[in-house]
Amino acid sequence: MAKVMKCPQHCSQDTRSLQKSVRLKDDVKHPDRGVCISQSVKIPREPKQGEFDKVIRRLRENPNARVVIIFANEDDIRRLLHAAKKANQTGHFIWVGSDSWGSKISPVVHQEEMAEGAVTILPKRQSIKGFDRYFISRTLENNRRNIWFAEFWENNFNCKLSRHAVKKGSGLKKCTNQERIGKDSNYEQEGKVQFVIDAVYAMAHALHNMHLELCPGKVGLCAKMDPINGTHLLKHIRRLNFAGIAGNPVLFNENGDAPGRYEIYQYQIRNRTAEYKIIGHWTDQLHLNVRSMQWPGGVRQIPSSICSHPCQAGERKKIVKGIPCCWHCERCDGYQYQADTYTCKMCRFDLRPNENHTGCVPIPIVKLEWSSPWAVIPVLIAVAGIMATVFVVVTFIRYNDTPIVKASGRELSYVLLTGIFLCYATTFLMISTPDVGICSLRRIFLGLGMSISYAALLTKTNRIYRIFEQGSMSVSAPRFISPASQLVITFTLASVQLLGVCIWFGVDPSKAIIDYEDQRTSNPTMARGVLKCDISDLSLICLLGYSMLLMVTCTVYAIKTRGVPETFNEAKPIGFTMYTTCIIWLAFIPIFFGTSQSTEKMYIQTTTLTISVSLSASVSLGLLYMPKVYVVLFHPEQNVPKRTRSLKAVVTAATMSNKFNPKAGLRPNGEAKTELCESLETQTFPTKQTYISYSNHAI
């Protein structure tokens, strides 16, 4: 049974790598070094017609693997080369033959180009002159003990010993016994004669040593050697160390192998002349003259024979089942990196793969920068709002004792302006670099400014509603409408927000975190860690929820007082303020939560939140206070006190005016409005008191 192995040489083209190839080292653990088997094909002992064509087709399945190592007899080698030539594979395969090919001519006759570049080996040998003298002296007379010698004689001299065996026209003659080896025929000593002689001597030395051990002083076999124990004899053979017939030491290693001594040949064609040329030898180590090697087509460069090309950096090898030297290269994609030749692993959560996916690097940390367009616009709005708020406050303080300022309800106005100021100031907290302090201030002031603003507005609208609701039925004033009562109600409502924040601090202390999931994109190069406060979307809703509740409640009261004439109270401006604020926050919700999956989530949500808070404050500031400031500064003639009437008279006048002549009270200087506001100041309402005196506090 012959064997053909197709071997990709996964090695660089240098002497050291070629040494590994010639030594036929099969490295499965590191298939990119030495030689490994791409596929192994067996040639049947009695091959059928077309068997060698089938072998060639198998060898062509992987065109990148070109080296073919052959363990076959010379006839099979010849037929395999012929099948390769018939398949038009001249120059494709690089043949490596065992000592059965050696330097023989018969396998390559008439197919020299197909065999060009073949590397073969032969055991290093010497011609034994004593054997030549002995063998050429052998004749049919003196060598009768060799039963095969007569057949050799007929084949060597092309004759027949029996006259009856000679047929006419066959070209054969009768042997005369006068023929002589080397004289009447060509003679060349068989290359393995040296090894046969050494093998015989090895057996003789082993038996001798075994006899000395088991039968000391006795002639012939003793009982201990009859029969001979093969295992014991093998031990003596492995211990041998003597000089062979050619002077080389005969010995065996621990595996029972004799040291290899080989001549390395290459079949080359030079000037149309084909010959086996010695290119090196092996004696304990390789000695190879690479410069003297020549490959198919006269090429000097060592050809490559590789099943799979080396993988690039960041690619793992996926071995083809059953073929350790063949693989597919798979890219370590996404957040994977190449851990070793065959494995891709995921980077740690705070890391991403480097450019060639051979390792992991820290994910860059980002935050909202002051120079970012996402921050510039909210900051500009906040700065403008703070300046406007300060301007209103300064104006109110300067004209603190004028009727319009008094009529606006100075105490609640200053509270409301404080809430508006905090709403604008929140923008700077939202854009500042998160740390424990900033995150704590965000929790406190993000909802506090809105709570104070809407608590003040809710107190105002509730007061207006209660005054007109009760005033239409009774001359008695409602309870808790004095400025002090209004401040207590406002701060009580706002304190609920602070209480909730304090509970939140106790349950979950604030801290700054780096969120690596927020901007963990499918493309690792775009991944970022976001430095932010530990306020989730749900926590934010809870934080703003109370302010929203106050806003909705205030809007309900604004709707209830929509029938009261604008000239008699602030219900209409407060109503417009709340309607507009509701629209702003209704627009905020889909924008904020609709961008939760966006890579720009941090920027969009922060900008949306800050602008929404600032716009809410701007609406309150613009609709409630800018008209008053305008009158105070540019129309001082309208900023005058009006006469005082009873509560019953004021409410009745307002009700009748609204019912029968809605436009009658639209006096240029807002007389009726000021009158009502001035009439409902911080006057305490004693029991059963019908008329109230003038004071400088308003609704």
Side-chain angles (χ1 to χ4, degrees), residues 158-163 166 172-177 179:
N158 197 24
C159 63
K160 288 293 183 180
L161 292 174
S162 174
R163 178 178 298 179
V166 177
L172 297 176
K173 60 182 179 179
K174 185 178 182 302
C175 298
T176 63
N177 201 21
E179 298 89 359

Side-chain angles (χ1 to χ4, degrees), residues 403-599:
I404 286 184
V405 175
K406 291 180 179 180
S408 65
R410 287 175 298 184
E411 292 78 4
L412 285 182
S413 291
Y414 290 131
V415 172
L416 180 56
L417 289 170
T418 301
I420 292 173
F421 177 85
L422 291 178
C423 288
Y424 288 123
T426 302
T427 297
F428 299 95
L429 293 176
M430 297 301 296
I431 297 176
S432 298
T433 301
D435 56 31
V436 175
I438 293 295
C439 293
S440 299
L441 292 176
R442 284 186 187 181
R443 287 191 182 185
I444 296 172
F445 290 105
L446 182 59
L448 182 60
M450 296 176 62
S451 296
I452 292 175
S453 300
Y454 297 137
L457 287 175
L458 176 59
T459 303
K460 275 196 172 190
T461 54
N462 176 263
R463 185 187 187 204
I464 294 171
Y465 172 76
R466 288 189 296 118
I467 287 175
F468 279 90
E469 184 72 14
Q470 183 166 340
S472 62
M473 298 180 296
S474 172
V475 295
S476 300
R479 300 175 61 188
F480 308 118
I481 63 172
S482 65
S485 300
Q486 299 297 292
L487 289 177
V488 171
I489 294 173
T490 300
F491 287 120
T492 301
L493 293 175
S495 64
V496 175
Q497 175 76 23
L498 287 176
L499 179 61
V501 172
C502 291
I503 295 174
W504 188 8
F505 276 126
V507 175
D508 182 20
S510 62
K511 58 182 178 292
I513 61 172
I514 300 176
D515 188 352
Y516 291 98
E517 296 297 328
D518 196 24
Q519 292 193 26
R520 192 176 180 87
T521 59
S522 57
N523 183 3
T525 59
M526 303 299 294
R528 297 292 184 271
V530 180
L531 177 62
K532 65 179 185 179
C533 294
D534 61 332
I535 302 178
S536 63
D537 292 348
L538 179 60
S539 300
L540 182 63
I541 291 299
C542 295
L543 183 64
L544 298 177
Y546 181 66
S547 300
M548 300 294 179
L549 177 62
L550 293 177
M551 180 184 69
V552 172
T553 307
C554 187
T555 303
V556 171
Y557 276 107
I559 294 174
K560 286 185 175 183
T561 58
R562 68 186 184 279
V564 178
E566 180 183 0
T567 55
F568 286 94
N569 61 89
E570 290 184 303
K572 292 293 175 61
I574 293 176
F576 289 141
T577 299
M578 300 317 301
Y579 305 151
T580 307
T581 304
C582 288
I583 293 173
I584 291 173
W585 287 101
L586 286 175
F588 161 79
I589 293 175
I591 295 175
F592 187 88
F593 293 100
T595 58
S596 59
Q597 302 300 322
S598 172
T599 56

Side-chain angles (χ1 to χ4, degrees), residues 53 150 154 164 207 252 350 390-391 411 495 506 515 541 545 660:
D53 297 331
E154 289 181 337
H164 300 288
L207 287 170
F252 304 94
D350 59 339
V390 171
F391 176 74
E411 292 78 4
S495 64
D515 188 352
I541 291 299
F660 299 108

Side-chain angles (χ1 to χ4, degrees), residues 215-237:
C215 308
K218 293 186 179 180
V219 178
L221 295 178
C222 63
K224 292 183 179 180
M225 291 186 66
D226 187 16
I228 294 176
N229 187 318
T231 302
H232 199 180
L233 177 62
L234 179 61
K235 292 180 180 179
H236 282 281
I237 292 176

